Amino acid sequence: QVMAWSSPGNPAPLLHALGCGAEDTVSVSLLSLAVKARAGGWQLGASVMCPGMRRAWLLDSPDTPFLMLAESLAVQHGVREVLLAEDSSNDEGRDAVEGSVVSLARRVGATLTRVPSAQHHPDVPAAAEAVVADRPLAREALSVAVAYLQVGDLDPWQVSAAEPHVGLQYDVATARALRVFSPSAGIRSDDDRSLYGLMNETVSAPGARKLQSWLRHPAVDAHAIRKRQQVVDLLCALPALREVLRGRACLRRMPDLERLAVRLATKQSKLADLMGVYGALQRCHRILQEVRVACDETAGSGDEPDARAQSFRKTYTATLEQCFEETKKLQALVEEAVDLEARRRTSSPWLIKASFTPTLTRLQASCVLVEQNIDAEFQHLRSLVKGPESRVKAEESPAHGHHMRMTKKDASTASLASIPGIRVLAVQKGGVLFQSDTLRSHSVELGGLRKQYMDAQEAVERKVMEVAGTYVPLLGRIGALLGDIDALASFAQVAVDENWVRPTLIDITSEHLLELTDLRHPVVEHAVRNRPRGQYVPSNLCLGCGMQAARRVAVLTGPNMGGKSTFASAVAICQILAQIGSFVPAASATIPLRSHIAARTGAGDSPTKLISTFMSEMLHASSLLKGCSQSSLVIVDELGRGTSTHDGYGIAHAVLQALVDSGCTALFATHFHELTARVATDRALENLHVSAHATGDAIRMLYDVLPGACDRSFGVHVARIAELPVEITRDAAAYLDRLEGDRPGAVDQESTLDADTLELEASSVSDRTHSSKKRKTTIGA
């Protein structure tokens, strides 16, 4: 017998059947694809299905052969399984489509499931007709998903059109390069080696899901982002309110209202689910009270309220209050229908009050009367056997109903078999069980009445649950708002703990593109904080501080292990944090809104896929360049490895030029120092380098990012730090000196760099606020 059917994209049914917790699987999704490769371009039909939340998103749109739009959907929704409808036609593009989908599933780390054409659902449920009316490929993708999930009826589901372009887009490679999520982290993971793990100070499941959703799909609407920033600013300024909201009486351990609302929409919901909703609504009332009091206390001078408190009220609490008022009838129904007092007295299951309907009242009265008759018969039997109450016990069991028990010795003394009207039911080790015909009759009668009472209870419970089901959309909205508040309180907690600041958001068309002061990489800074003598060295960045000739592409050079990758990643992470409404790890920040981030900070080979390291880099570069525009932020790290120096330099030079031509903002970390000479002829470029101090065979990393170029990588010095054998590093240094001496116009680079570095370091140290303390070094790459 099949207990439950599950798959990687729908694991909850099996976990529930096995009695395992399935909280982490609520937001797990699968992606069903229907793709057509046509002469004029590829057309994508997609259906993202989230069984745990009963949500479906449909898309019918042009896409590239790399399925970049489908990948964006997979990132936004955390897809774990990709469905491919097998096409029995001889379409010439079928093989190309299948190859692209297979590649997509590999990139996003999802299981690929091929669904035979015989298993396709011929029609889509009526609930989705309005969405798929003019989307034939979305209809096909949805029909495959509905048949695969064995849904049948989408009425409890919320079906809507997907909007992958409305938000900051980034692909899986970028998410991995920036370590937005830990590969093995669940939704409640404490892995602080990822951005999500560091940011996840939420205290409820809806809050964690909301944080994950915002990180996967950052906003581009400046007005919405600023509303979040104002709430975070308010919660930073009011630690008492923040602690109350995150406490046990409010958000911490609050029932998952979104998940309970989904259960109410199905026929599997029980009275316990409704009571979970009731408990969440009571906490919601407490939250509203606390926010109301705190916001009143923040009123400014005169009658003008604090702008942050006003934003909190308008955006969240006013809507929450309205929704809460609309649920008062549901709360009144629970208080009138459910026996709350009985639950407080005992640990019995939730039951409907006997006084709620005349039928239950009548049946309960009958049960009480029969129970009184049974008690009277117990007393009568005790008098017949002449035994004390402590030795003649009244019991009830499923096998014998109501009966009495006494020890074998007492039963022999009382001569039970000789007493008229008494039947011995069983002789056990624990004693003799007996009952009278009258007791048996009353017991049978009480059993029948109890069954009628429970049937009536179930009938009333079904009607109550049907009424509660009409509140599902409202409850889902309340749950989403509470998740927002929890996520924003988490932002405030992290901002206070890590000393982050509120960024200033500007439009991408502004002349001032990007300025970050005392920028830190949040994950690296958190990791080194507890190390002995560990301290993160912040850096500054200013790109595009001009008009038409804005320098918006930085060529970043410097020694190996000097912190180039960390610095570049920190810039991209700040962009994501700013667009989810969080504060950022800097002393000050002016950040433009962007619609796309691409980051490539390293590539490895994949022998099983017949892909070398260099081929992997070229695939990443190809994907990166396809989405670049003026609103993109691009991070490229050491492009051109794995082939000859001349080939690598040529490719790096061409890619850098393509980035300049695209109009994007970019940080291009490289060891091809010849690229730095382009700054003299291209006004869009700027040179930056990570500082280090080299003396003879020793090198000390300073980890600061300063203007200008560095014409050495100090690879031999780093090899010495890695304890490569002395004779090898000595021979390498000698050969390097010969190579550099043969170059036309070669100079004593080591001494020149030392002087420049010391001069720049001295000027930088004198101008920065953190210079009064002696800097301590840490690993920055």
Side-chain angles (χ1 to χ4, degrees), residues 156-386:
W157 288 57
Q158 183 179 346
V159 184
S160 58
E163 297 180 332
H165 298 293
V166 183
L168 175 65
Q169 297 183 56
Y170 59 88
D171 58 15
V172 175
T174 300
R176 289 174 180 164
L178 301 179
R179 201 172 179 86
V180 179
F181 298 96
S182 175
S184 61
I187 192 170
R188 300 296 297 171
S189 172
D190 294 327
D191 183 6
D192 56 7
R193 293 170 296 176
S194 67
L195 181 61
Y196 170 74
L198 177 66
M199 295 291 295
N200 189 13
E201 291 290 336
T202 59
V203 293
S204 68
R209 285 198 302 271
K210 184 65 68 172
L211 170 60
Q212 193 176 55
S213 174
W214 285 349
L215 282 173
R216 291 188 185 281
H217 199 195
V220 293
D221 183 354
H223 183 62
I225 297 172
R226 290 189 180 104
K227 284 183 177 179
R228 295 180 191 172
Q229 288 182 334
Q230 287 180 318
V231 175
V232 175
D233 204 352
L234 176 69
L235 294 176
C236 287
L238 300 177
L241 174 60
R242 187 174 70 246
E243 292 304 318
V244 168
L245 289 178
R246 291 164 48 81
R248 294 179 180 273
C250 293
L251 290 170
R252 190 178 296 274
R253 296 187 180 179
M254 172 180 277
D256 192 340
L257 200 52
E258 287 181 304
R259 188 161 177 255
L260 289 171
V262 170
R263 287 185 62 84
L264 287 180
T266 68
K267 296 180 180 179
Q268 301 175 351
S269 58
K270 300 295 183 182
L271 203 57
D273 298 322
L274 179 58
M275 296 312 300
V277 169
Y278 179 76
L281 291 175
Q282 297 302 303
R283 291 192 177 211
C284 179
H285 180 60
R286 173 69 183 276
I287 290 172
L288 290 172
Q289 288 180 323
E290 295 292 343
V291 173
R292 190 181 301 113
V293 171
C295 289
D296 289 342
E297 293 176 352
T298 60
S301 60
D303 297 329
E304 185 67 22
D306 185 283
R308 301 167 302 176
Q310 193 174 19
S311 177
F312 195 7
R313 279 180 166 174
K314 184 177 179 181
T315 308
Y316 294 101
T317 57
T319 308
L320 198 56
E321 284 176 353
Q322 181 182 352
C323 294
F324 182 78
E325 287 296 321
E326 294 178 21
T327 63
K328 283 195 171 179
K329 289 185 177 180
L330 176 62
Q331 297 178 62
L333 173 63
V334 171
E335 292 166 358
E336 183 181 357
V338 181
D339 195 342
L340 303 177
E341 291 299 326
R343 176 73 176 190
R344 292 191 185 102
R345 293 193 304 266
T346 65
S347 59
S348 60
W350 292 106
L351 295 173
I352 300 294
K353 283 181 181 177
S355 59
F356 187 63
T357 66
T359 302
L360 288 176
T361 303
R362 177 179 56 80
L363 288 172
Q364 188 195 41
S366 299
C367 287
V368 170
L369 180 60
V370 174
E371 287 172 349
Q372 290 174 350
N373 293 335
I374 289 175
D375 289 340
E377 184 63 17
F378 278 148
Q379 295 299 329
H380 175 65
L381 289 176
R382 284 194 181 94
S383 65
L384 288 179
V385 300
K386 299 178 180 179

Side-chain angles (χ1 to χ4, degrees), residues 374-388 392-394 402-406 414 416 419-423 434-440:
I374 289 175
D375 289 340
E377 184 63 17
F378 278 148
Q379 295 299 329
H380 175 65
L381 289 176
R382 284 194 181 94
S383 65
L384 288 179
V385 300
K386 299 178 180 179
V392 182
K393 299 180 180 180
H402 290 81
H403 58 272
M404 306 198 76
R405 177 192 297 271
M406 60 190 311
L416 284 179
I419 300 176
I422 290 182
R423 291 189 307 114
F434 64 95
Q435 68 179 182
S436 65
D437 293 337
T438 302
L439 182 59
R440 181 175 181 276

Side-chain angles (χ1 to χ4, degrees), residues 515-581:
E515 184 174 14
L516 298 165
T517 305
D518 286 351
L519 169 68
R520 293 109 62 197
H521 191 296
V523 178
V524 175
E525 181 186 30
H526 183 79
V528 303
R529 181 172 298 144
N530 296 325
R531 293 183 183 178
R533 302 178 61 188
Q535 180 178 328
Y536 193 94
V537 179
S539 299
N540 298 336
L541 176 67
C542 182
L543 289 179
C545 300
M547 294 293 290
Q548 299 299 326
R551 296 190 181 274
R552 47 183 171 74
V553 178
V555 179
L556 184 60
T557 53
N560 293 287
M561 295 295 293
K564 298 187 298 296
S565 300
T566 300
F567 173 72
S569 298
V571 175
I573 287 175
C574 276
Q575 187 73 49
I576 293 175
L577 290 174
Q579 293 193 220
I580 66 174

Side-chain angles (χ1 to χ4, degrees), residues 497-515:
D497 293 343
E498 304 292 333
N499 193 26
W500 292 2
V501 298
R502 177 177 175 176
T504 301
L505 297 176
I506 60 174
D507 189 78
I508 190 62
T509 59
S510 172
E511 63 178 58
H512 192 153
L513 289 182
L514 179 61
E515 184 174 14

Side-chain angles (χ1 to χ4, degrees), residues 595-676:
S595 62
H596 176 239
I597 289 182
R600 299 296 185 271
T601 59
D605 62 353
S606 182
T608 59
K609 302 174 188 175
L610 304 180
I611 297 176
S612 66
T613 301
F614 180 69
M615 183 60 178
S616 178
E617 280 203 350
M618 294 303 98
L619 290 172
H620 284 176
S622 175
S623 174
L624 178 146
L625 292 173
K626 282 181 170 60
C628 283
S629 67
Q630 183 184 358
S631 62
S632 298
L633 174 64
V634 179
I635 307 297
V636 180
D637 185 25
E638 299 184 20
L639 181 68
R641 297 170 298 178
T643 186
S644 71
T645 302
H646 292 89
D647 283 347
Y649 172 74
I651 291 171
H653 185 282
V655 170
L656 180 60
Q657 184 60 50
L659 294 176
V660 172
D661 294 341
S662 71
C664 71
T665 300
L667 277 80
F668 196 95
T670 183
H671 287 288
F672 292 120
H673 304 110
E674 295 82 357
L675 291 175
T676 61

